[in-house]
Amino acid sequence: MPKRHLTDPVDLLREHGMQVTVQRLAVLRAVSQRPHLTADDIEKMVRTEIGTVSRQAVYDTLAVLTANGLIRRIQPAHSPARFEDRVDDNHHHVVCRQCGRVADVDCAVGSAPCLEPAHRHGFVIDEAEVMYWGLCPDCQIAR
Amino acid sequence: MPKRHLTDPVDLLREHGMQVTVQRLAVLRAVSQRPHLTADDIEKMVRTEIGTVSRQAVYDTLAVLTANGLIRRIQPAHSPARFEDRVDDNHHHVVCRQCGRVADVDCAVGSAPCLEPAHRHGFVIDEAEVMYWGLCPDCQIAR
DNA sequence: TCGTGTTATTGACACAGTCCAGAATTGGAA
DNA sequence: TTCCAATTCTGGACTGTGTCAATAACACGA
Ligand SMILES: [Mn+2]
Ligand SMILES: [Mn+2]
Ligand SMILES: [Zn+2]
Ligand SMILES: [Zn+2]
């Protein structure tokens, strides 16, 4: 019985009542290796790692991982959805208008800024998502 | 020469160096009559108003109006793009997770909240977009 | 090892939007 | 009023992202 790290992906899946499959492990690895990848990027990474995978398996896995809170999905305008394993820390993102690059941005003020809208129109709000838009260092140079 | 209101759409288009066409005027009217419509909604409204319009004309018009800052395009996840004529006032939106309804939300704090990210990674930021997610009054009732 | 329910594969399909290209129409400057 | 450039139309093909449905393979508890 080999000793496992606390956040061993195998245990992580089991703890959430999910079956352990090579596809799911590879998706999990891809997402944690490089944040903000698209489903397509992830599919490519998984395929190079385990040889073959169906697009549907990637999407299904991403969906179930998202539903169980193991990963997070962000969807900037003009971009396919992106995934990251940095969850439960309420961070935001800055997106380059030119090349689409995404970077993490910590909360601006206090622990939950922008979470208090002025008028909520009777909505019950459970999340405040902040997206910053601008130009990344590279695209500033390229004018 | 009939007297025109200050924000007469005809003048508005001319001021931005755009030709005045019935299609553009109808799109402009639709967008200002009801905010947060989709391109499809707008196409339908324009068609009932001026009889016929091509989808391309609608998309072209929305694009050129957006480029000139006469209207704004917002694109919540899991929704087609939506358009509004409330520009230059830095307001945000709350979206219903169930039915997709969109409502305006004024800035939470001061005039430009959330515009000061903790760490900007060298990005030059020109906009901070806040999207609130939750349930609208109707969908709360429908559980 | 077996059986069952879960997951993966496959291929078609949906949706929102874009692109195309020629012809027709229209706006507005002169 | 004339004329050119800008705009629209027709109408389909096409793209990227994602979903559905049927079948096959697999995971894992018994
Ligand atoms: Mn992130
Ligand atoms: Mn609005
Ligand atoms: Zn960039
Ligand atoms: Zn609703």
Side-chain angles (χ1 to χ4, degrees), chain B residues 88-99:
Chain B
D88 295 330
D89 78 334
N90 177 246
H91 75 277
H92 304 307
H93 295 96
V94 53
V95 185
C96 179
R97 288 191 190 278
Q98 192 121 344
C99 70

Side-chain angles (χ1 to χ4, degrees), chain A residues 75 78 94 96-97 104-105 108 114 116-117 121-137 140, chain B residues 77 94 96-97 104-105 108 114 116-117 121-137 140:
Chain A
Q75 189 158 354
H78 312 117
V94 53
C96 178
R97 289 192 190 277
D104 286 333
V105 172
C114 324
E116 294 305 328
H121 295 279
F123 278 68
V124 171
I125 295 169
D126 62 69
E127 187 191 345
E129 178 190 18
V130 183
M131 200 76 79
Y132 298 95
W133 293 91
L135 284 183
C136 76
Q140 290 168 44
Chain B
V94 53
C96 179
R97 288 191 190 278
D104 285 334
V105 172
C114 324
E116 293 306 329
H121 294 280
F123 278 68
V124 171
I125 295 170
D126 62 69
E127 186 190 347
E129 178 189 18
V130 183
M131 201 76 80
Y132 299 95
W133 294 90
L135 284 183
C136 75
Q140 290 167 44

Side-chain angles (χ1 to χ4, degrees), chain A residues 17 36 46 53 55 58 62 70 73 77 84 98 104 114 127 129 134:
Chain A
H36 313 135
V46 168
V53 75
R55 182 173 47 158
V58 172
L62 290 172
L70 275 78
R73 173 196 181 109
E84 64 183 345
Q98 192 121 344
D104 286 333
C114 324
E127 187 191 345
E129 178 190 18

